[in-house]
Amino acid sequence: MGKRKEKISSDIAWSTSDKISVRGLDLPNEILGHMNLGDLAFLQLTGRKATPEESRVFNAIVITLVEHGITPSALAARMTYMGAPESLQAAVAAGLCGLGTVFVGSMEGASKMLYEALPQDKLGTGVDLDALAVETVDKFRARKAIVPGLGHPVHKPVDPRTPRLFQIAAENGKSGEYIALIQKIQ
């Protein structure tokens, strides 16, 4: 039987029996040994290489997502692994099943809150962020809802990662109106 040269492709990646391309880059020669994991994730998500500043900020965020200490999802993964060390996939799945609006998924709610409060077409228009923060919090209070993405069930009163992430964003020119707004909401 001869070698098959079928090409499997998508906008993200494609491969043949002897080549793998990710977002237009040759995986073995242009990515392996040239990019870190955060930069590859950035490439996959955005379709372009990160600038050095984006790389520093994105990698700092990814590191905070990887470390989950004693959260319920991490405990579920650890307990499942202890019971079935031959099934690492089941342990990972158990941990993933525990992700939601309280741990990890809270950032989705925070992003939605920020985009609804300050749509992208309003960025840079001189919106009063102090008034917008009060209005946003008042809307959550009126619904008796928790403001998403702020606070942490374990780290009180301030999650120690937060000020450092804000600092890294500022040092790399990535501290814009959304960061200013969430800090005012905080």
Side-chain angles (χ1 to χ4, degrees):
M1 263 184 140
K3 271 190 172 180
R4 295 174 79 185
K5 286 278 189 179
E6 290 181 40
K7 181 178 176 182
I8 301 170
S9 72
S10 75
D11 288 342
I12 297 172
W14 61 266
S15 66
T16 62
S17 60
D18 61 348
K19 186 167 174 95
I20 303 168
S21 178
V22 177
R23 294 286 191 181
L25 299 175
D26 181 66
L27 178 67
N29 298 306
E30 294 179 283
I31 296 175
L32 297 179
H34 300 282
M35 281 188 178
N36 60 50
L37 185 58
D39 289 347
L40 177 63
F42 187 95
L43 174 69
Q44 292 283 50
L45 290 169
T46 67
R48 65 178 180 79
K49 288 183 177 180
T51 66
E53 296 80 15
E54 290 168 331
S55 174
R56 284 189 286 280
V57 172
F58 191 81
N59 275 285
I61 292 168
V62 169
I63 288 168
T64 65
L65 293 175
V66 169
E67 195 297 304
H68 275 86
I70 58 169
T71 61
S73 58
L75 289 174
R78 290 174 186 170
M79 297 300 286
T80 303
Y81 182 73
M82 284 176 62
E86 70 282 358
S87 186
L88 180 61
Q89 295 89 341
V92 171
L96 290 173
C97 287
L99 304 182
T101 57
V102 176
F103 289 98
V104 182
S106 61
M107 287 297 95
E108 181 180 355
S111 296
K112 183 178 178 188
M113 173 187 67
L114 292 172
Y115 285 130
E116 287 174 358
L118 184 60
Q120 288 190 332
D121 63 346
K122 301 288 185 196
L123 288 172
T125 62
V127 173
D128 181 350
L129 295 179
D130 289 312
L132 190 55
V134 170
E135 178 186 326
T136 301
V137 171
D138 286 347
K139 286 180 182 177
F140 277 87
R141 283 186 177 152
R143 294 192 318 262
K144 293 186 168 109
I146 295 171
V147 177
L150 299 174
H152 190 282
V154 174
H155 305 294
K156 301 261 183 208
V158 175
D159 182 334
R161 298 169 290 195
T162 305
R164 180 64 179 134
L165 286 172
F166 287 151
Q167 179 185 12
I168 292 167
E171 289 170 353
N172 287 281
K174 300 297 176 188
S175 185
E177 288 178 285
Y178 288 122
I179 288 180
L181 179 57
I182 198 132
Q183 287 174 320
K184 289 176 183 301
I185 289 170
Q186 180 184 12

